[in-house]
Amino acid sequence: MLEFDYDLFVIGAGSGGVRAARIAASHGARVAIAEEYRIGGTCVIRGCVPKKLLVYASRFTDEFEDAEGFGWSLEGARFDWQSLIAAKDNEIARLEAVYGATLAKFNVELFAERATVAAPHGVKLTQSGRTVSAKAILIATGGRPNLDENLPGIEHVITSNEAFHLKEMPRRVVIAGGGYIAVEFASIFKGLGADVTLIYRRDKILRGFDEDLRNALTTAMTSRGIHIIAGHIFTRIEKTQTGLAGHITGGEVVEADQIMFAIGRSPNTAGLGLEGVGVKLSGNGAVAVEGTWQTSVPSIYAVGDVTDRVNLTPVAIREGHAFADTVFGNKAWTVDYKAIPTAVFATPEIGTVGFSEHEARAQYGDIDIYKASFRPMKAILAGRDERMLMKLVVERASDRVVGVHILGPDAAEIVQMAAVAIRMGAKKSDFDQTMALHPSAAEELVTLREKWIAPGEAAG
Ligand code: FAD
């Protein structure tokens, strides 16, 4: 008789868990996976994918406006929220089915219920009450949106989870938060025609991003009509006859049909039984891991957002893959966390990789900055005066480009390729020697010749 029911039991069928399950199974492991909501996890069901679909929808407004400058006249364009949500739901259901089919193809046994850790080798399935044993347990339970539970009226607010399922398009939206999810939803609702206010407790949106990007996106969002109230928080929220009233510090009251909180996310470890079996958690409840996935209990591992390191889908996927190859496939490798490209799908969008100017200065001391701010070609005829920003951060001693930061159309697409160059250690001279692709916006990256001198700073 076999010692354990499974070689691997994965808790959470999201980005990291599904990848780990599939790869471990492909190496011959007997694998089971439990999912309490829907297969695919946050990214597929209520994160990256549905968000990007809403982003696409929200940008048609610009396209329609710009088209006039190119000779088109468009009358009678109308937007229907219910049609968009139905189309989005179909696509998410399709993707969920694809994920389920992949698990089935690899003979991964699926438990469509919540699971908790009962022992170093034991998993309890909470709905059926069964306990099963596994040689290894992988915690891949992701994260959940934070709410300020002590705020009076918090029961009236939604998070990104609910924003994807609203029955009606809200006409007035107030969003609390200044991170990427907050600014993305602000742009989505604005693009779809809502009045949008963003309330953020700090002085400027997108903490941790390059200052030029933060400033440029603030300017662009403001000039698109998004009202940004920085340095304030809600003190209470009330239901009114016409919707909701959000009272904020300083006494201002903002009225809304929906108030959305996007004030960060926390690892999903509550009630998971981890402390009971000796798995160490960090201050905010994240599973503490050594190296890429090992917890303080040898048979229990964790990957993805539940470890609260770099909370992005490609990172969770790679962690799950490396874990499965290493532990079940006799192919040891670890994840390299350097130069992870990332995007903010606001409108205009941000693509960024490597060090911000501020980080590079702290890391290398002497750096050079190259930047350009210009109206993209399409904007001229369109009569749009929004500017595109491109910025290179270069370590002076080695001439290596250590940061690429872009705000403007297709920034994410451009930065994905720039990330290859950054990882390969490309120098500014390599950028300079690369032939421009004309006419494009991205060609600016290889034609930036003048170092940017800060006002009052001598040339280096
Ligand atoms: P998840 O994908 O969250 O999967 C965890 C799964 O575990 C969930 O399905 C959950 O239901 C399940 N689960 C939890 N507890 C249990 C339990 N006890 N038993 C059974 N099942 C359980 N990342 C990007 O890279 N790009 C983006 O553009 C992007 N946009 C985002 C937009 C939004 C609105 C949000 C919320 C996130 C976004 N992310 C984005 C982040 C991305 O979704 C996560 O980094 C990624 O999903 C993490 O994968 P994971 O496997 O760690 O966890």
Side-chain angles (χ1 to χ4, degrees), residues 146-287:
N146 293 340
L147 278 175
D148 178 359
E149 300 294 351
N150 297 322
L151 181 75
I154 192 72
E155 66 276 13
H156 302 308
V157 314
I158 59 165
T159 67
S160 56
N161 285 349
E162 294 75 37
F164 291 117
H165 299 287
L166 295 175
K167 296 264 175 297
E168 281 172 20
M169 160 78 193
R171 291 286 138 211
R172 300 163 303 168
V173 182
V174 179
I175 298 175
Y180 80 96
I181 295 176
V183 301
E184 287 176 343
F185 272 94
S187 290
I188 288 169
F189 284 120
K190 185 71 201 169
L192 296 177
D195 287 336
V196 179
T197 303
L198 193 77
I199 294 179
Y200 185 42
R201 71 192 160 104
R202 295 177 188 274
D203 65 331
K204 207 189 292 174
I205 57 169
L206 293 182
R207 189 162 64 99
F209 283 75
D210 187 89
E211 285 298 307
D212 279 324
L213 291 178
R214 299 175 77 188
N215 293 335
L217 185 61
T218 303
T219 305
M221 287 174 66
T222 306
S223 62
R224 281 172 173 263
I226 295 172
H227 182 36
I228 301 179
I229 305 178
H232 286 279
I233 55 170
F234 282 107
T235 55
R236 74 173 196 278
I237 291 162
E238 286 167 353
K239 237 183 160 56
T240 65
Q241 284 186 333
T242 54
L244 296 170
H247 296 255
I248 60 174
T249 43
E252 197 178 334
V253 180
V254 283
E255 305 216 333
D257 299 319
Q258 292 289 351
I259 297 181
M260 173 176 161
F261 266 51
I263 56 169
R265 294 175 60 81
S266 294
N268 246 334
T269 49
L272 210 54
L274 292 170
E275 299 97 314
V277 298
V279 173
K280 286 204 183 90
L281 303 182
S282 66
N284 68 345
V287 179

Side-chain angles (χ1 to χ4, degrees), residues 97-116:
V98 170
Y99 272 73
T102 303
L103 290 173
K105 186 171 147 210
F106 284 86
N107 294 320
V108 174
E109 194 174 339
L110 173 69
F111 293 91
E113 59 183 299
R114 179 171 170 80
T116 57

Side-chain angles (χ1 to χ4, degrees), residues 57-71:
S58 70
R59 290 185 179 164
F60 282 98
T61 325
D62 281 7
E63 294 294 327
F64 295 151
E65 280 171 19
D66 292 355
E68 281 185 28
F70 293 85

Side-chain angles (χ1 to χ4, degrees), residues 11-18 34-49 51-52 111 113-116 140-143 145 160-161 164 180-181 184-185 265 268 270-272 303-306 310-317 342-343 345:
I11 305 184
S15 306
V18 168
E35 172 54 54
E36 67 177 354
Y37 184 53
R38 292 177 64 183
I39 307 167
T42 304
C43 180
V44 175
I45 307 295
R46 46 192 179 184
C48 342
V49 176
K51 171 197 77 186
K52 191 79 189 278
F111 293 91
E113 59 183 299
R114 179 171 170 80
T116 57
T141 51
S160 56
N161 285 349
F164 291 117
Y180 80 96
I181 295 176
E184 287 176 343
F185 272 94
R265 294 175 60 81
N268 246 334
L272 210 54
V303 295
D305 283 12
V306 76
V310 183
N311 297 331
L312 292 171
T313 288
V315 178
I317 289 175
T342 181
F345 292 103

